[in-house]
Amino acid sequence: MADAAKPDIRPHNPDFSSGPCAKRPGYSLAALEGALLGRSHRAKEPKARLAEVIERSKTLLGMPADWRLGIVPASDTGAVEMALWSLLGARPVDVLAFESFSEAWATDIVKQLKLKDARVLAAPYGKLPDLAAVDPAHDVVLAWNGTTSGVRLTNADFISANREGLVICDATSAAFAMDLPWHKLDVVTWSWQKVLGGEAGHGMLALSPRAVERLLTYKPAWPLPKIFRLTSGGKLTEGIFKGETINTPSMLCVEDALDGLRWAEGIGGLPALIARSEANLAAIADFVGARDWIDFLAEDPKTRSCTSICLKIVAPWFTVLEADQQAEAAKKISSLLEKAGVAYDIAAYRDAPPGLRIWGGATVETDDIVALLPWLDWAYTQVVLEVSRQAAE
Ligand SMILES: Cc1ncc(COP(=O)(O)O)c(C=O)c1O
């Protein structure tokens, strides 16, 4: 059994939530001092700050020069919904649904947009769908990283370079932590509160030239509300991609996003961000590999996410419990850790199998992950002791 003694070392920062995610190391509110508060976002300087978020994000991510990037309402959900409602319906669509968020896009497409030619390529938590089934003549909707299962795509070989359809990629828990194959994608979305630890509420929508072409040549059969509209009078609303947001953004969040981007540039850009995240995954993999009570939810080690690191409890006593008892026992582990002040918000997502989800994005220090891990043994042991006590009564 794991050690019952409380570990001596504690994480310096106990924030391991999968969103909003930990602020960058050394963050303080002083980073926001230059925020253009009380100003119109349409005025020259505030608009320039919005454009700066766009330009710095593009450069940091290595986005191709002919792509457009805009700041849009309603976070990543807003960005994905804009893409789905603006672009889909022109041809059949394949949706990869392998955890809660990608399932939500499938529901939108099938039940709300009611697209007749939609195929849902589904897989249970822990697995990827049959990628070989993706048809290059179809549009494709996918999450690059399944935040609630901790399963990520490892490459884009299943996407044809000569595809006729568009690939709409929800990359909110992948952008800035994983290499994105831009040439195989047409729409990429994310939000500020994930890998760079920004403030929530704002979405990023990146469009390839092919996606823009679709916007200009196809008009959906359904009406589009103002916050989804990317065209006007048959023309692309170019201002969106230069910092002229559709509605009012928070200049405080903008300043915070810039702080995150500058921090990322300062530590060495995308390769450094990816390396930090991969180091966090590696630390957890070492720990899990040396334990027989815990394992990754992702079945194939290659698909293990380096951001939303999802773990399941595999001890025999646990696996024979009823589903609600499993959920309760797993929840107890995360609440013990929260009470001890060593890890906040690491219970598995509410719709996912019971377990733990530790955010390993770039703002999380590997030393903090390493300090947290012995506490998992500690909390698990407390739960085992309690279960044995209850069984003996
Ligand atoms: C893959 C994925 N898609 C969509 C969302 C929703 O993002 P937001 O809350 O930024 O709209 C999340 C949030 O965690 C996510 O992980």
Side-chain angles (χ1 to χ4, degrees):
M1 207 203 311
D3 197 347
K6 261 191 187 173
D8 300 328
I9 298 173
R10 309 163 67 82
H12 175 71
N13 182 357
D15 294 340
F16 298 104
S17 147
S18 288
C21 302
K23 304 304 276 184
R24 60 145 171 101
Y27 180 85
S28 88
L29 289 175
L32 307 181
E33 267 167 15
L36 296 172
L37 305 184
R39 296 284 315 275
S40 163
H41 61 295
R42 308 266 178 223
K44 192 169 156 216
E45 284 176 292
K47 198 180 118 179
R49 297 266 169 107
L50 288 153
E52 191 181 336
V53 171
I54 292 173
E55 288 312 315
R56 285 184 187 268
S57 303
K58 270 182 157 176
T59 307
L60 195 58
L61 288 169
M63 192 178 296
D66 56 358
W67 279 55
R68 287 173 175 81
L69 178 62
I71 300 168
V72 299
S75 204
D76 180 66
T77 307
V80 176
E81 298 285 11
M82 274 176 104
L84 301 184
W85 289 73
S86 301
L87 297 166
L88 293 185
R91 48 177 65 240
V93 56
D94 292 340
V95 195
L96 304 188
F98 56 101
E99 47 78 62
S100 161
F101 288 106
S102 44
E103 276 165 12
W105 307 143
T107 301
D108 245 43
I109 288 163
V110 174
K111 297 210 170 123
Q112 299 295 325
L113 286 171
K114 298 188 169 59
L115 294 185
K116 292 274 174 296
D117 288 330
R119 284 197 307 171
V120 178
L121 305 175
Y125 278 85
K127 294 186 186 216
L128 283 174
D130 177 13
L131 302 179
V134 167
D135 188 331
H138 294 184
D139 291 332
V140 181
V141 176
L142 54 85
W144 194 263
N145 181 72
T147 319
T148 60
S149 68
V151 172
R152 62 170 152 178
L153 292 170
T154 57
N155 63 66
D157 294 351
F158 65 97
I159 299 169
S160 165
N162 305 314
R163 65 196 174 279
E164 294 160 61
L166 297 178
V167 178
I168 298 175
C169 171
D170 172 358
T172 198
S173 53
F176 303 106
M178 301 173 198
D179 261 322
L180 293 170
W182 296 99
H183 62 295
K184 293 287 187 83
L185 308 173
D186 295 292
V187 177
V188 177
T189 67
W190 67 93
S191 53
W192 291 353
Q193 74 274 15
K194 293 283 189 191
V195 175
L196 298 185
E199 289 303 295
H202 301 73
M204 299 301 281
L205 176 72
L207 301 176
S208 76
R210 296 180 67 243
V212 171
E213 167 76 15
R214 171 76 63 84
L215 283 173
L216 298 177
T217 54
Y218 164 74
K219 193 166 179 302
W222 43 83
L224 285 177
K226 173 177 166 169
I227 59 163
F228 283 2
R229 286 204 292 270
L230 293 161
T231 58
S232 167
K235 292 211 175 88
L236 190 70
T237 310
E238 292 283 3
I240 294 175
F241 309 99
K242 295 177 182 146
E244 290 165 23
T245 49
I246 295 174
N247 63 346
T248 314
S250 156
M251 293 312 294
L252 196 63
C253 295
V254 167
E255 205 58 28
D256 191 78
L258 285 172
D259 172 72
L261 288 161
R262 287 193 204 105
W263 168 75
E265 291 159 7
I267 62 163
L270 187 60
L273 295 169
I274 293 175
R276 286 175 64 86
S277 195
E278 291 292 349
N280 290 337
L281 170 61
I284 292 179
D286 282 350
F287 172 86
V288 169
R291 306 278 177 298
D292 55 11
W293 65 268
I294 191 163
D295 201 356
F296 285 88
L297 190 51
E299 287 184 10
D300 177 352
K302 289 198 294 296
T303 66
R304 289 173 186 166
S305 168
C306 61
T307 56
S308 57
I309 303 169
C310 296
L311 304 172
K312 61 182 176 185
I313 298 155
V314 291
W317 70 267
F318 182 89
T319 53
V320 297
L321 296 178
E322 299 292 332
D324 58 334
Q325 294 172 314
Q326 287 190 353
E328 200 187 320
K331 194 88 202 171
K332 221 167 260 168
I333 296 179
S334 55
S335 53
L336 279 167
L337 295 167
E338 185 155 339
K339 269 198 210 108
V342 293
Y344 294 129
D345 316 320
I346 66 163
Y349 188 73
R350 56 180 187 266
D351 299 332
L356 300 173
R357 180 174 56 159
I358 302 169
W359 183 254
T363 54
V364 174
E365 299 273 34
T366 305
D367 283 353
D368 284 340
I369 295 268
V370 169
L372 166 66
L373 294 171
W375 287 90
L376 301 190
D377 277 338
W378 169 78
Y380 171 72
T381 308
Q382 305 311 304
V383 173
V384 173
L385 291 172
E386 191 182 318
V387 170
S388 332
R389 257 196 311 273
Q390 281 166 358
E393 276 169 13

